[in-house]
Amino acid sequence: MVVQQIAFWIIAIAMALAAIGVVRSQNVVHSALYLVVVLAGAAAQFILVASEFVAWVQVLIYIGAIVILFLFGIMLTRAPMRSTESLDNSQRWAAAVVSLFLFGVLAALLIDAYGDKEIKLNDSLVAIGNTNVVGTEMFRNYLVPFEVVSLLLLAALIGAVVIARRD
Amino acid sequence: MALNYYLLLAAFLFCTGIYGVLARKNAVLVLMSIELMLNAVNINLIAFSAFNRSVSGAVFALFVITIAAAEVGVGLAIVLLIYRNEHTADLDEVDELKG
């Protein structure tokens, strides 16, 4: 129990610092690499609550596919690598105020609503996170949404090819 | 483990993403900040899935990951098209619709 708490806080602090790095770094490639740390940290947090299947999908899809897409996007748009000009616009102080205010409101609400709730770490938690259970649930109760999402993915793929085609 | 730890971490990531969307000029960086926000939602879904002992949260997290992949693909294609036509990915300079 204590070991999980220590692991949670180490990973959470790393994720928070890397998330600030994503939005504050003045080098676009560094931002993408900080994003990898945040996504890997999220996968580690999923493992801490025994959602192993989602954790590995997170590693495969987010770190394996989406970050690579970002790196291609950075390369193809020739984003500024040297910090000759700022990557932030003039409204960053207003943006900081908005996000801090939202965090304050969310934190107050969450502590008020879920302050005494505990995730119980025992064997019944392990029984709901494995691939067998997730697959059974998805192909039994969520089959139609699954097919709709696969159609959406196909449409997005064809749409991306059509938009980016050069002719 | 307190449920709040996960929810507060997710809230922090979401607010960081909001700051990035509002304060960044480069279109690719704005898309990265949107990924931060989607990831925060995933952490919430998994935390409540573990809290309620329900698999549905994990299934919805998988759906969110799929939608995020589709969104990044289409978003980067649009950014690429803007870059090809305007020779910049800077969102402050893409103001053709301004009256």
Side-chain angles (χ1 to χ4, degrees), chain B:
Chain B
M1 181 124 45
L3 176 63
N4 252 338
Y5 294 172
Y6 279 90
L7 303 184
L8 287 175
L9 175 67
F12 180 82
L13 287 182
F14 191 85
C15 295
T16 320
I18 288 212
Y19 171 81
V21 168
L22 292 176
R24 286 301 211 178
K25 259 196 318 196
N26 189 297
V28 180
L29 287 171
V30 172
L31 281 176
M32 280 186 208
S33 306
I34 294 176
E35 288 309 308
L36 275 184
M37 290 157 72
L38 286 171
N39 210 50
V41 174
N42 270 348
I43 293 176
N44 265 356
L45 283 172
I46 293 295
F48 277 111
S49 162
F51 175 66
N52 289 320
R53 295 287 191 273
S54 156
V55 195
S56 298
V59 175
F60 272 92
L62 293 175
F63 284 152
V64 171
I65 290 174
T66 319
I67 305 287
E71 175 250 326
V72 168
V74 176
L76 281 177
I78 293 172
V79 171
L80 212 60
L81 196 68
I82 291 174
Y83 178 77
R84 206 177 285 152
N85 290 329
E86 309 277 330
H87 299 289
T88 177
D90 189 334
L91 291 177
D92 287 350
E93 292 174 28
V94 184
D95 52 3
E96 301 289 304
L97 285 178
K98 209 176 192 175

Side-chain angles (χ1 to χ4, degrees), chain A residues 41-166:
Chain A
Q45 302 285 25
F46 295 166
I47 293 210
L48 274 184
V49 283
S51 288
E52 55 193 48
F53 183 66
V54 183
W56 290 119
V57 169
Q58 168 103 358
V59 170
L60 288 174
I61 307 290
Y62 264 117
I63 303 177
I66 292 183
V67 172
I68 300 298
L69 263 182
F70 275 126
L71 290 175
F72 268 103
I74 291 168
M75 186 180 76
L76 291 172
T77 58
R78 293 187 185 79
M81 303 285 175
R82 308 272 177 275
S83 52
T84 46
E85 54 180 319
S86 175
L87 289 168
D88 299 331
N89 60 24
S90 55
Q91 60 195 12
R92 73 172 164 276
W93 290 112
V97 169
V98 167
S99 61
L100 276 178
F101 175 73
L102 185 67
F103 181 67
V105 171
L106 279 177
L109 267 176
L110 290 174
I111 290 169
D112 186 44
Y114 299 106
D116 51 349
K117 300 288 196 295
E118 289 271 327
I119 299 176
K120 292 183 184 60
L121 301 170
N122 52 29
D123 285 350
S124 67
L125 184 62
V126 180
I128 62 140
N130 61 37
T131 312
N132 185 357
V133 177
V134 175
T136 307
E137 176 82 1
M138 180 173 265
F139 288 105
R140 191 164 285 166
N141 297 332
Y142 291 95
L143 184 61
V144 174
F146 176 81
E147 296 296 340
V148 170
V149 164
S150 67
L151 262 185
L152 176 96
L153 205 57
L154 179 69
L157 199 73
I158 296 172
V161 171
V162 170
I163 291 172
R165 200 171 54 162
R166 194 189 295 266

